[in-house]
Amino acid sequence: MKKIILASGSPRRKELMGGLDIPFTIDTGNSFEESPIEFSDPAEVPLAMARGKSRGFHRPLQDDELLITADTVVVLRSSDGASVIGKPHNREEAVQMLRKLSGNVHEVITAVVLRDKEREESFTDSTLVYFAELSSSEIEYYIDKYRPYDKAGSYGVQEWIGYVGIERIEGSFYNVMGFPVHRVYKEIVKFAD
């Protein structure tokens, strides 16, 4: 088995990866600068970001290492087209994002790249999330208490807002948390062969 490196500072990805009972280390050293990327299809954004993170890793990989990078976006589709909702920079942006998601269906897309010294494999996973109508006071309570500024779409499905605001999901719950561990596990097993 290769030495697995998770190149992510996300506590949720660390927790989910840990649940696989596979030894890994975390190394977030990276020269890739995340900035908005425009694509005709928003589903291409997380894959481009995950690849950028993989290729921007701060050092060459050793023969016995496997690097894992990931990126998650929230895509809201409407009659005006599809828009990517990233991480909020401040309270006002977080409020605006949750107002857009309230009462609507959105798609959470996570892309994962696995790379060793010889090859690179990637995949995306998609989940539909059905949000109930949220009141302004519910949105403000959540943002002020949970401060979701490090989360795509300004929410964590595993937090209070997920309990009260998400009516149902179609797809992987863990993908909504930002790491589709069921697929990650299968890809790690493939790499080990």
Side-chain angles (χ1 to χ4, degrees):
M1 178 66 92
K2 290 184 180 284
K3 296 175 186 171
I4 296 173
I5 303 166
L6 178 63
S8 174
S10 164
R12 291 159 302 283
R13 287 190 184 125
K14 177 183 177 185
E15 174 190 349
L16 292 172
M17 185 73 188
L20 293 178
D21 290 344
I22 297 172
F24 70 99
T25 59
I26 292 179
D27 187 339
T28 59
N30 209 301
S31 63
F32 179 69
E33 294 201 22
E34 292 186 49
S35 58
I37 300 174
E38 294 296 325
F39 283 100
S40 56
D41 180 1
E44 296 176 29
V45 172
L47 186 54
M49 298 295 273
R51 281 187 176 136
K53 292 174 184 178
S54 180
R55 294 170 187 165
F57 191 63
H58 67 99
R59 62 173 176 79
L61 294 174
Q62 303 300 309
D63 290 337
D64 63 344
E65 293 178 324
L66 173 63
L67 181 71
I68 301 175
T69 57
D71 193 74
T72 301
V73 296
V74 170
V75 178
L76 184 60
R77 301 184 193 275
S78 68
S79 56
D80 298 331
S83 60
V84 172
I85 300 176
K87 297 174 187 173
H89 295 99
N90 53 47
R91 185 181 188 277
E92 183 180 322
E93 280 188 14
V95 168
Q96 289 173 353
M97 287 179 184
L98 286 177
R99 283 189 179 144
K100 285 181 184 176
L101 298 180
S102 173
N104 286 307
V105 179
H106 64 272
E107 184 178 16
V108 177
I109 303 169
T110 300
V112 178
V113 174
L114 291 87
R115 182 171 65 86
D116 65 11
K117 197 172 178 181
E118 302 291 321
R119 66 185 201 249
E120 176 181 297
E121 298 292 334
S122 62
F123 66 88
T124 59
D125 200 70
S126 176
T127 305
L128 293 177
V129 180
Y130 293 75
F131 249 104
E133 287 282 347
L134 300 169
S135 69
S136 292
S137 62
E138 288 169 330
I139 290 171
E140 290 173 12
Y141 167 80
Y142 173 70
I143 290 168
D144 292 340
K145 179 161 185 175
Y146 291 89
R147 306 184 61 76
Y149 303 121
D150 65 335
K151 297 175 177 70
S154 299
Y155 78 93
V157 65
Q158 72 281 9
E159 296 174 338
W160 179 84
I161 201 149
Y163 301 157
V164 303
I166 294 179
E167 294 177 335
R168 76 179 202 267
I169 65 170
E170 293 175 11
S172 167
F173 174 84
Y174 298 111
N175 184 53
V176 183
M177 284 180 70
F179 204 55
V181 286
H182 63 292
R183 292 281 307 277
V184 171
Y185 178 78
K186 286 179 184 175
E187 295 299 323
I188 289 171
V189 169
K190 273 195 222 172
F191 249 87
D193 286 344

